[in-house]
Amino acid sequence: ETGVTQSPTHLIKTRGQQVTLRCSSQSGHNTVSWYQQALGQGPQFIFQYYREEENGRGNFPPRFSGLQFPNYSSELNVNALELDDSALYLCASSLVPGGRSTGELFFGEGSRLTVL
Amino acid sequence: AQSVTQLGSHVSVSEGALVLLRCNYSSSVPPYLFWYVQYPNQGLQLLLKYTSAATLVKGINGFEAEFKKSETSFHLTKPSAHMSDAAEYFCAVSGTGNQFYFGTGTSLTVIP
């Protein structure tokens, strides 16, 4: 069983640039969620994708966008990077039965983004 | 709305001592509650979950948690700490829209 994999593991960008982060979900999982974890904080929900459509969004501006592909892999795109976007970005996959999630999230090891 | 509060951002225990990490929740619907552990430079791993079955939940690595509705708590315990338990622990509640709300975390240090 293949776990959740994310790429790249580390990257450095400058303010105003754009970044794309990638995630491959665990085998058999059809739902991908993205979380932002700032230093010393808990993960904050960005959005979730289910069957290639956004299925819930947290309090993040539109410059945070995503995609899910037919193989359930996903991308997180962030435009016009700001210094506060520096964080660990975590991808999590799950098998959502519908309705409120009772299932666990399976996390990747994250992509650490530094914005200078 | 759903949220969790973790009391104590840092907890230190001696090896072999009881581990107690505190979590209180707020939820407008019956909550589904989770504890996750994060080791340095790694993602989060599920320790245990409560989804309205038994109120005492047993997880991996000897951890357990008790759901107490009257106290709106879901504290994590382990009878005897091991050096390998040193990590960051997050309490989370599953909310509407399938999102999880995480606490700010508790860093556990185990003293030999």
Short mmCIF file of all heavy atoms in Angstrom, two decimals, chain A residues 10 33 35 37 40-45 48 55-58 88 90 96 98-110 112, chain B residues 2 27 29-32 34 36 38 41-46 49 51 88 90 93-105:
data_model
loop_
_atom_site.label_atom_id
_atom_site.label_comp_id
_atom_site.label_asym_id
_atom_site.label_seq_id
_atom_site.Cartn_x
_atom_site.Cartn_y
_atom_site.Cartn_z
N HIS A 10 11.12 20.66 0.14
CA HIS A 10 11.51 22.00 0.57
C HIS A 10 11.62 22.89 -0.66
O HIS A 10 12.03 22.43 -1.73
CB HIS A 10 12.88 22.01 1.27
CG HIS A 10 12.92 21.25 2.55
ND1 HIS A 10 13.05 19.89 2.61
CD2 HIS A 10 12.84 21.68 3.85
CE1 HIS A 10 13.06 19.50 3.87
NE2 HIS A 10 12.94 20.56 4.65
N SER A 33 -7.17 16.54 1.04
CA SER A 33 -7.29 17.80 1.76
C SER A 33 -5.91 18.43 1.89
O SER A 33 -4.90 17.72 1.99
CB SER A 33 -7.86 17.56 3.16
OG SER A 33 -9.11 16.92 3.10
N TYR A 35 -3.63 21.30 4.10
CA TYR A 35 -3.55 22.05 5.35
C TYR A 35 -2.27 22.87 5.35
O TYR A 35 -1.24 22.44 4.83
CB TYR A 35 -3.54 21.10 6.56
CG TYR A 35 -4.89 20.49 6.87
CD1 TYR A 35 -5.37 19.40 6.13
CD2 TYR A 35 -5.68 21.01 7.88
CE1 TYR A 35 -6.61 18.85 6.42
CE2 TYR A 35 -6.92 20.46 8.18
CZ TYR A 35 -7.38 19.38 7.43
OH TYR A 35 -8.62 18.84 7.71
N GLN A 37 0.44 24.52 7.95
CA GLN A 37 0.90 24.49 9.33
C GLN A 37 2.03 25.50 9.51
O GLN A 37 3.17 25.25 9.12
CB GLN A 37 1.37 23.09 9.73
CG GLN A 37 1.72 22.97 11.21
CD GLN A 37 2.17 21.59 11.62
OE1 GLN A 37 2.50 20.75 10.78
NE2 GLN A 37 2.17 21.33 12.91
N GLY A 40 4.98 26.36 14.92
CA GLY A 40 4.44 26.39 16.26
C GLY A 40 2.92 26.36 16.34
O GLY A 40 2.35 26.57 17.42
N GLN A 41 2.27 26.10 15.23
CA GLN A 41 0.81 26.08 15.19
C GLN A 41 0.29 24.72 14.74
O GLN A 41 1.04 23.89 14.22
CB GLN A 41 0.30 27.16 14.22
CG GLN A 41 0.68 28.57 14.60
CD GLN A 41 0.09 28.99 15.92
OE1 GLN A 41 -1.10 28.77 16.17
NE2 GLN A 41 0.91 29.58 16.78
N GLY A 42 -0.99 24.52 14.92
CA GLY A 42 -1.62 23.33 14.39
C GLY A 42 -1.99 23.54 12.93
O GLY A 42 -2.04 24.68 12.45
N PRO A 43 -2.23 22.46 12.21
CA PRO A 43 -2.62 22.59 10.81
C PRO A 43 -3.94 23.34 10.65
O PRO A 43 -4.87 23.15 11.45
CB PRO A 43 -2.77 21.13 10.37
CG PRO A 43 -1.94 20.34 11.33
CD PRO A 43 -2.07 21.06 12.64
N GLN A 44 -4.00 24.18 9.62
CA GLN A 44 -5.21 24.93 9.30
C GLN A 44 -5.74 24.46 7.94
O GLN A 44 -4.98 24.38 6.97
CB GLN A 44 -4.91 26.43 9.23
CG GLN A 44 -4.42 27.02 10.55
CD GLN A 44 -5.49 27.10 11.59
OE1 GLN A 44 -6.62 27.49 11.30
NE2 GLN A 44 -5.16 26.72 12.82
N PHE A 45 -7.02 24.17 7.90
CA PHE A 45 -7.64 23.63 6.69
C PHE A 45 -7.67 24.67 5.58
O PHE A 45 -8.16 25.78 5.76
CB PHE A 45 -9.06 23.18 7.04
CG PHE A 45 -9.88 22.66 5.90
CD1 PHE A 45 -9.60 21.42 5.34
CD2 PHE A 45 -10.94 23.38 5.40
CE1 PHE A 45 -10.37 20.92 4.30
CE2 PHE A 45 -11.72 22.90 4.36
CZ PHE A 45 -11.44 21.67 3.81
N GLN A 48 -10.55 21.03 0.42
CA GLN A 48 -10.63 19.59 0.17
C GLN A 48 -11.15 19.36 -1.24
O GLN A 48 -12.01 20.12 -1.73
CB GLN A 48 -11.56 18.93 1.17
CG GLN A 48 -11.70 17.42 1.01
CD GLN A 48 -12.74 16.85 1.95
OE1 GLN A 48 -13.93 16.81 1.67
NE2 GLN A 48 -12.28 16.39 3.11
N ASN A 55 -14.57 20.57 -2.33
CA ASN A 55 -15.62 20.03 -1.46
C ASN A 55 -15.48 20.60 -0.05
O ASN A 55 -15.56 19.89 0.94
CB ASN A 55 -15.50 18.50 -1.43
CG ASN A 55 -16.59 17.85 -0.63
OD1 ASN A 55 -17.75 18.23 -0.71
ND2 ASN A 55 -16.25 16.86 0.19
N GLY A 56 -15.25 21.88 0.03
CA GLY A 56 -15.07 22.52 1.32
C GLY A 56 -13.82 23.38 1.29
O GLY A 56 -12.81 22.99 0.69
N ARG A 57 -13.90 24.55 1.91
CA ARG A 57 -12.79 25.48 1.89
C ARG A 57 -12.71 26.19 3.23
O ARG A 57 -13.73 26.54 3.82
CB ARG A 57 -12.98 26.50 0.77
CG ARG A 57 -11.79 27.41 0.55
CD ARG A 57 -12.03 28.38 -0.60
NE ARG A 57 -10.84 29.20 -0.84
CZ ARG A 57 -9.88 28.89 -1.70
NH1 ARG A 57 -9.99 27.81 -2.46
NH2 ARG A 57 -8.83 29.67 -1.85
N GLY A 58 -11.50 26.38 3.68
CA GLY A 58 -11.28 27.12 4.91
C GLY A 58 -11.14 28.60 4.63
O GLY A 58 -11.44 29.08 3.54
N LEU A 88 4.64 24.88 6.58
CA LEU A 88 4.64 23.50 6.11
C LEU A 88 3.25 23.23 5.52
O LEU A 88 2.24 23.44 6.19
CB LEU A 88 4.92 22.54 7.27
CG LEU A 88 4.96 21.04 6.93
CD1 LEU A 88 6.17 20.73 6.06
CD2 LEU A 88 4.99 20.22 8.22
N LEU A 90 0.69 20.55 4.24
CA LEU A 90 0.41 19.13 4.40
C LEU A 90 -0.74 18.70 3.51
O LEU A 90 -1.78 19.37 3.45
CB LEU A 90 0.07 18.82 5.86
CG LEU A 90 1.19 19.02 6.87
CD1 LEU A 90 0.63 19.04 8.29
CD2 LEU A 90 2.23 17.93 6.74
N VAL A 96 -13.77 9.25 2.05
CA VAL A 96 -14.91 9.88 2.70
C VAL A 96 -16.18 9.15 2.29
O VAL A 96 -16.49 9.08 1.11
CB VAL A 96 -15.02 11.36 2.30
CG1 VAL A 96 -16.20 12.01 2.98
CG2 VAL A 96 -13.74 12.09 2.68
N GLY A 98 -19.11 10.05 2.63
CA GLY A 98 -20.22 10.96 2.38
C GLY A 98 -20.66 11.58 3.69
O GLY A 98 -20.63 10.94 4.72
N GLY A 99 -21.01 12.83 3.66
CA GLY A 99 -21.42 13.49 4.89
C GLY A 99 -20.20 13.81 5.75
O GLY A 99 -19.09 13.83 5.29
N ARG A 100 -20.44 14.03 7.03
CA ARG A 100 -19.35 14.44 7.92
C ARG A 100 -18.35 13.30 8.08
O ARG A 100 -18.72 12.16 8.29
CB ARG A 100 -19.93 14.83 9.27
CG ARG A 100 -18.98 15.61 10.15
CD ARG A 100 -19.75 16.49 11.08
NE ARG A 100 -20.63 15.76 11.96
CZ ARG A 100 -20.29 15.40 13.20
NH1 ARG A 100 -19.09 15.67 13.65
NH2 ARG A 100 -21.14 14.77 13.96
N SER A 101 -17.11 13.65 8.02
CA SER A 101 -16.06 12.64 7.98
C SER A 101 -15.88 11.97 9.34
O SER A 101 -15.71 12.63 10.34
CB SER A 101 -14.74 13.28 7.55
OG SER A 101 -13.70 12.34 7.66
N THR A 102 -15.93 10.68 9.36
CA THR A 102 -15.60 9.92 10.56
C THR A 102 -14.28 9.19 10.38
O THR A 102 -13.82 8.52 11.27
CB THR A 102 -16.66 8.86 10.88
OG1 THR A 102 -16.72 7.94 9.78
CG2 THR A 102 -18.02 9.50 11.06
N GLY A 103 -13.74 9.32 9.19
CA GLY A 103 -12.53 8.58 8.91
C GLY A 103 -11.28 9.37 9.22
O GLY A 103 -11.33 10.57 9.41
N GLU A 104 -10.20 8.69 9.30
CA GLU A 104 -8.96 9.38 9.63
C GLU A 104 -8.37 9.98 8.37
O GLU A 104 -8.70 9.60 7.25
CB GLU A 104 -7.97 8.41 10.25
CG GLU A 104 -7.51 7.30 9.33
CD GLU A 104 -6.47 6.41 10.00
OE1 GLU A 104 -5.30 6.84 10.10
OE2 GLU A 104 -6.82 5.30 10.39
N LEU A 105 -7.50 10.93 8.58
CA LEU A 105 -6.72 11.52 7.51
C LEU A 105 -5.35 10.86 7.49
O LEU A 105 -4.75 10.64 8.54
CB LEU A 105 -6.56 13.02 7.73
CG LEU A 105 -7.83 13.86 7.77
CD1 LEU A 105 -7.48 15.31 8.08
CD2 LEU A 105 -8.57 13.77 6.46
N PHE A 106 -4.86 10.57 6.31
CA PHE A 106 -3.52 10.02 6.14
C PHE A 106 -2.66 11.13 5.55
O PHE A 106 -2.88 11.57 4.43
CB PHE A 106 -3.54 8.80 5.22
CG PHE A 106 -4.24 7.61 5.82
CD1 PHE A 106 -5.62 7.52 5.80
CD2 PHE A 106 -3.52 6.59 6.40
CE1 PHE A 106 -6.28 6.43 6.37
CE2 PHE A 106 -4.16 5.48 6.96
CZ PHE A 106 -5.54 5.42 6.93
N PHE A 107 -1.69 11.56 6.32
CA PHE A 107 -0.89 12.72 5.94
C PHE A 107 0.40 12.33 5.24
O PHE A 107 1.04 11.31 5.57
CB PHE A 107 -0.53 13.54 7.18
CG PHE A 107 -1.65 14.38 7.71
CD1 PHE A 107 -2.55 13.84 8.62
CD2 PHE A 107 -1.80 15.69 7.32
CE1 PHE A 107 -3.59 14.61 9.12
CE2 PHE A 107 -2.83 16.46 7.80
CZ PHE A 107 -3.73 15.92 8.71
N GLY A 108 0.81 13.19 4.32
CA GLY A 108 2.16 13.13 3.78
C GLY A 108 3.11 13.86 4.72
O GLY A 108 2.69 14.40 5.75
N GLU A 109 4.39 13.88 4.35
CA GLU A 109 5.38 14.50 5.22
C GLU A 109 5.46 16.01 5.01
O GLU A 109 6.16 16.69 5.76
CB GLU A 109 6.73 13.84 5.02
CG GLU A 109 6.73 12.38 5.45
CD GLU A 109 8.10 11.77 5.52
OE1 GLU A 109 9.08 12.41 5.06
OE2 GLU A 109 8.22 10.64 6.02
N GLY A 110 4.78 16.51 4.02
CA GLY A 110 4.69 17.94 3.86
C GLY A 110 5.70 18.55 2.91
O GLY A 110 6.74 17.95 2.60
N ARG A 112 7.80 22.07 2.79
CA ARG A 112 8.12 23.27 3.57
C ARG A 112 8.46 24.41 2.63
O ARG A 112 9.45 24.36 1.91
CB ARG A 112 9.28 23.01 4.53
CG ARG A 112 9.53 24.21 5.44
CD ARG A 112 10.39 23.87 6.63
NE ARG A 112 9.81 22.90 7.53
CZ ARG A 112 8.86 23.15 8.43
NH1 ARG A 112 8.37 24.37 8.53
NH2 ARG A 112 8.42 22.19 9.21
N GLN B 2 -16.98 24.25 15.35
CA GLN B 2 -16.15 23.29 16.07
C GLN B 2 -14.77 23.89 16.35
O GLN B 2 -14.23 24.63 15.52
CB GLN B 2 -15.95 22.00 15.26
CG GLN B 2 -17.17 21.11 15.16
CD GLN B 2 -18.21 21.61 14.17
OE1 GLN B 2 -17.86 22.24 13.18
NE2 GLN B 2 -19.46 21.36 14.45
N SER B 27 -18.28 21.94 20.08
CA SER B 27 -18.89 21.44 18.87
C SER B 27 -20.39 21.65 18.92
O SER B 27 -21.02 21.37 19.94
CB SER B 27 -18.57 19.96 18.68
OG SER B 27 -19.18 19.46 17.50
N VAL B 29 -22.37 20.01 16.98
CA VAL B 29 -22.93 18.70 16.63
C VAL B 29 -22.16 17.66 17.42
O VAL B 29 -21.08 17.95 17.94
CB VAL B 29 -22.81 18.43 15.11
CG1 VAL B 29 -23.64 19.44 14.34
CG2 VAL B 29 -21.36 18.46 14.66
N PRO B 30 -22.72 16.45 17.55
CA PRO B 30 -21.93 15.41 18.24
C PRO B 30 -20.55 15.30 17.63
O PRO B 30 -20.41 15.11 16.42
CB PRO B 30 -22.76 14.15 18.01
CG PRO B 30 -24.16 14.66 17.89
CD PRO B 30 -24.04 15.98 17.17
N PRO B 31 -19.51 15.42 18.44
CA PRO B 31 -18.17 15.52 17.87
C PRO B 31 -17.54 14.19 17.51
O PRO B 31 -17.80 13.18 18.15
CB PRO B 31 -17.38 16.18 19.01
CG PRO B 31 -18.03 15.63 20.24
CD PRO B 31 -19.49 15.52 19.89
N TYR B 32 -16.72 14.21 16.49
CA TYR B 32 -15.79 13.13 16.22
C TYR B 32 -14.40 13.69 16.54
O TYR B 32 -14.01 14.71 15.99
CB TYR B 32 -15.86 12.69 14.76
CG TYR B 32 -17.21 12.12 14.36
CD1 TYR B 32 -17.61 12.14 13.03
CD2 TYR B 32 -18.06 11.56 15.30
CE1 TYR B 32 -18.84 11.63 12.65
CE2 TYR B 32 -19.29 11.04 14.93
CZ TYR B 32 -19.69 11.08 13.61
OH TYR B 32 -20.90 10.57 13.24
N PHE B 34 -10.14 13.29 17.52
CA PHE B 34 -8.94 12.57 17.10
C PHE B 34 -7.72 13.10 17.85
O PHE B 34 -7.68 14.27 18.23
CB PHE B 34 -8.69 12.76 15.60
CG PHE B 34 -9.85 12.39 14.72
CD1 PHE B 34 -10.92 13.24 14.55
CD2 PHE B 34 -9.86 11.17 14.06
CE1 PHE B 34 -12.00 12.90 13.74
CE2 PHE B 34 -10.93 10.82 13.24
CZ PHE B 34 -12.00 11.69 13.09
N TYR B 36 -3.58 13.13 17.00
CA TYR B 36 -2.52 12.85 16.04
C TYR B 36 -1.17 13.15 16.69
O TYR B 36 -1.06 14.03 17.55
CB TYR B 36 -2.66 13.72 14.80
CG TYR B 36 -3.71 13.25 13.82
CD1 TYR B 36 -5.04 13.59 13.99
CD2 TYR B 36 -3.36 12.47 12.73
CE1 TYR B 36 -6.00 13.16 13.08
CE2 TYR B 36 -4.31 12.04 11.81
CZ TYR B 36 -5.63 12.38 12.00
OH TYR B 36 -6.56 11.95 11.11
N GLN B 38 2.99 14.05 15.74
CA GLN B 38 3.89 14.51 14.69
C GLN B 38 5.32 14.46 15.20
O GLN B 38 5.68 15.17 16.14
CB GLN B 38 3.54 15.93 14.25
CG GLN B 38 4.36 16.43 13.06
CD GLN B 38 3.92 17.81 12.61
OE1 GLN B 38 3.53 18.66 13.40
NE2 GLN B 38 3.97 18.06 11.30
N ASN B 41 10.00 16.77 11.45
CA ASN B 41 10.14 16.69 10.00
C ASN B 41 9.28 15.59 9.37
O ASN B 41 9.64 15.04 8.32
CB ASN B 41 11.61 16.49 9.61
CG ASN B 41 12.49 17.62 10.09
OD1 ASN B 41 12.14 18.80 9.94
ND2 ASN B 41 13.60 17.29 10.71
N GLN B 42 8.19 15.28 10.02
CA GLN B 42 7.29 14.28 9.47
C GLN B 42 5.86 14.81 9.45
O GLN B 42 5.54 15.83 10.08
CB GLN B 42 7.35 12.99 10.29
CG GLN B 42 8.68 12.26 10.19
CD GLN B 42 8.63 10.90 10.83
OE1 GLN B 42 7.56 10.29 10.98
NE2 GLN B 42 9.78 10.39 11.22
N GLY B 43 4.99 14.10 8.73
CA GLY B 43 3.58 14.44 8.75
C GLY B 43 2.91 13.93 10.01
O GLY B 43 3.57 13.44 10.93
N LEU B 44 1.61 14.06 10.07
CA LEU B 44 0.86 13.65 11.24
C LEU B 44 0.41 12.20 11.11
O LEU B 44 0.01 11.76 10.02
CB LEU B 44 -0.36 14.54 11.44
CG LEU B 44 -0.13 15.90 12.08
CD1 LEU B 44 0.61 16.84 11.15
CD2 LEU B 44 -1.46 16.52 12.51
N GLN B 45 0.42 11.50 12.23
CA GLN B 45 0.01 10.10 12.27
C GLN B 45 -1.11 9.95 13.29
O GLN B 45 -1.01 10.47 14.41
CB GLN B 45 1.20 9.21 12.65
CG GLN B 45 0.88 7.74 12.75
CD GLN B 45 2.06 6.92 13.26
OE1 GLN B 45 3.12 7.46 13.59
NE2 GLN B 45 1.88 5.62 13.33
N LEU B 46 -2.16 9.23 12.91
CA LEU B 46 -3.28 9.05 13.82
C LEU B 46 -2.89 8.16 15.00
O LEU B 46 -2.36 7.06 14.80
CB LEU B 46 -4.46 8.43 13.08
CG LEU B 46 -5.71 8.20 13.92
CD1 LEU B 46 -6.37 9.54 14.27
CD2 LEU B 46 -6.70 7.31 13.19
N LYS B 49 -9.05 7.59 17.66
CA LYS B 49 -10.19 8.41 17.28
C LYS B 49 -11.45 7.99 18.05
O LYS B 49 -11.60 6.82 18.42
CB LYS B 49 -10.46 8.31 15.78
CG LYS B 49 -10.85 6.91 15.29
CD LYS B 49 -11.08 6.92 13.78
CE LYS B 49 -11.44 5.53 13.28
NZ LYS B 49 -11.65 5.51 11.80
N THR B 51 -15.57 8.14 17.65
CA THR B 51 -16.64 8.42 16.70
C THR B 51 -17.97 7.93 17.24
O THR B 51 -18.75 7.29 16.53
CB THR B 51 -16.34 7.77 15.34
OG1 THR B 51 -16.14 6.36 15.53
CG2 THR B 51 -15.12 8.37 14.69
N GLU B 88 5.28 16.04 18.99
CA GLU B 88 4.21 17.03 19.08
C GLU B 88 2.89 16.29 18.92
O GLU B 88 2.74 15.45 18.04
CB GLU B 88 4.37 18.06 17.96
CG GLU B 88 3.47 19.27 18.07
CD GLU B 88 4.02 20.36 18.97
OE1 GLU B 88 5.24 20.32 19.26
OE2 GLU B 88 3.25 21.24 19.37
N PHE B 90 -1.34 16.58 18.60
CA PHE B 90 -2.44 17.45 18.20
C PHE B 90 -3.78 16.77 18.43
O PHE B 90 -3.98 15.63 18.00
CB PHE B 90 -2.32 17.82 16.72
CG PHE B 90 -1.13 18.68 16.38
CD1 PHE B 90 0.05 18.11 15.96
CD2 PHE B 90 -1.21 20.06 16.51
CE1 PHE B 90 1.15 18.90 15.66
CE2 PHE B 90 -0.11 20.85 16.22
CZ PHE B 90 1.07 20.28 15.79
N VAL B 93 -10.93 17.93 15.95
CA VAL B 93 -12.34 17.59 15.88
C VAL B 93 -12.76 17.68 14.41
O VAL B 93 -12.31 18.57 13.69
CB VAL B 93 -13.19 18.52 16.77
CG1 VAL B 93 -13.05 19.98 16.36
CG2 VAL B 93 -14.65 18.10 16.78
N SER B 94 -13.57 16.74 14.00
CA SER B 94 -14.06 16.72 12.63
C SER B 94 -15.34 17.53 12.56
O SER B 94 -16.28 17.28 13.32
CB SER B 94 -14.33 15.28 12.19
OG SER B 94 -14.93 15.25 10.93
N GLY B 95 -15.33 18.52 11.68
CA GLY B 95 -16.47 19.41 11.62
C GLY B 95 -17.32 19.21 10.39
O GLY B 95 -17.14 18.26 9.65
N THR B 96 -18.23 20.11 10.18
CA THR B 96 -19.04 20.07 8.97
C THR B 96 -18.17 20.39 7.77
O THR B 96 -17.14 21.03 7.89
CB THR B 96 -20.18 21.09 9.05
OG1 THR B 96 -19.61 22.39 9.28
CG2 THR B 96 -21.11 20.76 10.21
N GLY B 97 -18.55 19.93 6.62
CA GLY B 97 -17.76 20.17 5.41
C GLY B 97 -16.53 19.31 5.34
O GLY B 97 -15.65 19.56 4.54
N ASN B 98 -16.47 18.31 6.20
CA ASN B 98 -15.37 17.34 6.17
C ASN B 98 -14.02 17.92 6.54
O ASN B 98 -13.00 17.31 6.26
CB ASN B 98 -15.28 16.67 4.79
CG ASN B 98 -16.54 15.88 4.47
OD1 ASN B 98 -17.07 15.22 5.33
ND2 ASN B 98 -17.01 15.98 3.26
N GLN B 99 -13.97 19.08 7.14
CA GLN B 99 -12.68 19.59 7.55
C GLN B 99 -12.42 19.24 9.01
O GLN B 99 -13.34 19.06 9.79
CB GLN B 99 -12.60 21.10 7.35
CG GLN B 99 -13.51 21.92 8.23
CD GLN B 99 -13.27 23.41 8.01
OE1 GLN B 99 -12.29 23.95 8.49
NE2 GLN B 99 -14.15 24.06 7.29
N PHE B 100 -11.15 19.14 9.31
CA PHE B 100 -10.70 18.89 10.67
C PHE B 100 -10.21 20.21 11.27
O PHE B 100 -9.54 20.99 10.60
CB PHE B 100 -9.57 17.86 10.68
CG PHE B 100 -10.02 16.44 10.51
CD1 PHE B 100 -10.77 16.04 9.42
CD2 PHE B 100 -9.67 15.48 11.45
CE1 PHE B 100 -11.17 14.73 9.27
CE2 PHE B 100 -10.06 14.16 11.31
CZ PHE B 100 -10.82 13.78 10.22
N TYR B 101 -10.53 20.41 12.54
CA TYR B 101 -10.04 21.56 13.26
C TYR B 101 -9.02 21.07 14.28
O TYR B 101 -9.35 20.25 15.14
CB TYR B 101 -11.18 22.28 13.99
CG TYR B 101 -12.22 22.85 13.07
CD1 TYR B 101 -13.27 22.07 12.62
CD2 TYR B 101 -12.15 24.17 12.64
CE1 TYR B 101 -14.23 22.58 11.77
CE2 TYR B 101 -13.11 24.69 11.79
CZ TYR B 101 -14.14 23.89 11.36
OH TYR B 101 -15.08 24.40 10.51
N PHE B 102 -7.80 21.55 14.16
CA PHE B 102 -6.71 21.09 15.02
C PHE B 102 -6.43 22.11 16.13
O PHE B 102 -6.59 23.32 15.94
CB PHE B 102 -5.43 20.91 14.21
CG PHE B 102 -5.44 19.69 13.33
CD1 PHE B 102 -6.01 19.72 12.06
CD2 PHE B 102 -4.87 18.49 13.77
CE1 PHE B 102 -6.02 18.60 11.25
CE2 PHE B 102 -4.88 17.36 12.96
CZ PHE B 102 -5.46 17.42 11.70
N GLY B 103 -5.98 21.59 17.26
CA GLY B 103 -5.47 22.45 18.30
C GLY B 103 -4.07 22.94 17.95
O GLY B 103 -3.51 22.57 16.92
N THR B 104 -3.52 23.74 18.83
CA THR B 104 -2.21 24.33 18.58
C THR B 104 -1.06 23.41 18.93
O THR B 104 0.09 23.73 18.70
CB THR B 104 -2.05 25.65 19.33
OG1 THR B 104 -2.35 25.42 20.71
CG2 THR B 104 -2.99 26.71 18.78
N GLY B 105 -1.40 22.25 19.50
CA GLY B 105 -0.38 21.25 19.76
C GLY B 105 0.23 21.31 21.14
O GLY B 105 0.28 22.37 21.77
#
